[in-house]
Amino acid sequence: GAGVSQSPSNKVTEKGKDVELRCDPISGHTALYWYRQSLGQGLEFLIYFQGNSAPDKSGLPSDRFSAERTGGSVSTLTIQRTQQEDSAVYLCASSLSSTNEKLFFGSGTQLSVL
Amino acid sequence: AQSVTQPDIHITVSEGASLELRCNYSYGATPYLFWYVQSPGQGLQLLLKYFSGDTLVQGIKGFEAEFKRSQSSFNLRKPSVHWSDAAEYFCAVGAQGGGTSYGKLTFGQGTILTVHP
């Protein structure tokens, strides 16, 4: 596709369950970022991948959060044992490289933890 | 640690009026500064950026922003607002140098813009 694609667009889960959120970046973009947008808050950086380098995980809020990027393309953000405070919009963005400042954002996954 | 403050949570203007959205940042050196816009149901879109040089930067959709180092500000302006400008606006700061990714940003809390006809 032409843009960054995220799925699902909405996810409702029960507290304690695991969830997986998917991001398909723009073809050819080597840098991929995950951000979290909580209600009334700005975007919070979570993690980024650049090519085959080790990801920068400095923004992950706890060890319940993890992400991987397979084949330098699609990425999956996994949240284990979800808590109500995990409810937020999870945004994925990609760019040509980590030294290119123009981010292209997906529409996000709205996660609701009941 | 770097931080961004957008003092106005919600601003309402009339169509055709001028607009200024405030952004203050905290950063130890010269930052990279950005403004993004998030329209309802759409992803964030980059409006403009400042890296160095001319402190007045022009962006898309008729927006401009001015970097003022002495005030640690990067306010967004538009001389005449259109109804389609109603959206949420985010200011963001990025780190320079040290191999840091240009996409690893600290965002402000956002300002919601409402435009009255």
Side-chain angles (χ1 to χ4, degrees):
Chain A
V4 177
S5 177
Q6 292 188 245
S7 61
S9 54
N10 283 281
K11 176 71 176 178
V12 180
T13 190
E14 294 180 350
K15 178 182 174 181
K17 301 284 190 182
D18 297 352
V19 295
E20 286 188 351
L21 312 179
R22 176 189 168 103
C23 172
D24 200 341
I26 293 172
S27 177
H29 281 195
T30 62
L32 186 148
Y33 304 83
W34 284 97
Y35 282 85
R36 177 170 70 175
Q37 185 176 18
S38 303
L39 190 64
Q41 303 294 316
L43 281 76
E44 173 190 15
F45 167 79
L46 297 177
I47 186 171
Y48 91 87
F49 299 86
Q50 168 54 49
N52 295 321
S53 302
D56 178 338
K57 306 180 183 179
S58 59
L60 294 179
S62 77
D63 58 8
R64 296 187 296 105
F65 288 73
S66 63
E68 63 177 18
R69 188 177 185 193
T70 54
S73 181
V74 172
S75 177
T76 302
L77 177 69
T78 301
I79 308 173
Q80 296 179 310
R81 305 181 302 280
T82 52
Q83 303 294 312
Q84 289 185 331
E85 60 263 28
D86 299 334
S87 296
V89 176
Y90 289 82
L91 293 165
C92 176
S94 69
S95 65
L96 282 170
S97 74
S98 63
T99 56
N100 186 293
E101 73 283 358
K102 188 168 184 179
L103 298 182
F104 293 81
F105 281 86
S107 296
T109 294
Q110 172 73 64
L111 175 65
S112 299
V113 182
L114 304 179
Chain B
Q2 58 206 46
S3 65
V4 177
T5 301
Q6 293 180 247
D8 304 306
I9 296 173
H10 195 173
I11 284 184
T12 300
V13 299
S14 298
E15 190 169 17
S18 63
L19 172 70
E20 182 170 28
L21 302 182
R22 296 184 291 164
C23 172
N24 293 98
Y25 68 90
S26 173
Y27 186 68
T30 301
Y32 293 144
L33 293 161
F34 305 82
W35 275 98
Y36 279 84
V37 59
Q38 187 175 36
S39 299
Q42 298 187 22
L44 279 86
Q45 181 181 22
L46 178 64
L47 280 178
L48 48 76
K49 64 182 186 291
Y50 171 79
F51 276 25
S52 63
D54 193 347
T55 56
L56 184 64
V57 294
Q58 303 295 321
I60 61 172
K61 305 184 180 185
F63 285 92
E64 66 178 27
E66 186 171 12
F67 170 59
K68 292 185 177 181
R69 184 190 303 275
S70 62
Q71 299 177 19
S72 297
S73 69
F74 188 57
N75 294 349
L76 182 71
R77 301 194 295 249
K78 187 170 185 178
S80 178
V81 171
H82 188 263
W83 64 266
S84 61
D85 293 325
E88 189 163 15
Y89 292 80
F90 293 92
C91 182
V93 62
Q96 285 201 27
T100 302
S101 165
Y102 291 6
K104 184 179 176 181
L105 303 176
T106 299
F107 283 82
Q109 293 185 326
T111 298
I112 298 171
L113 174 65
T114 299
V115 181
H116 281 169

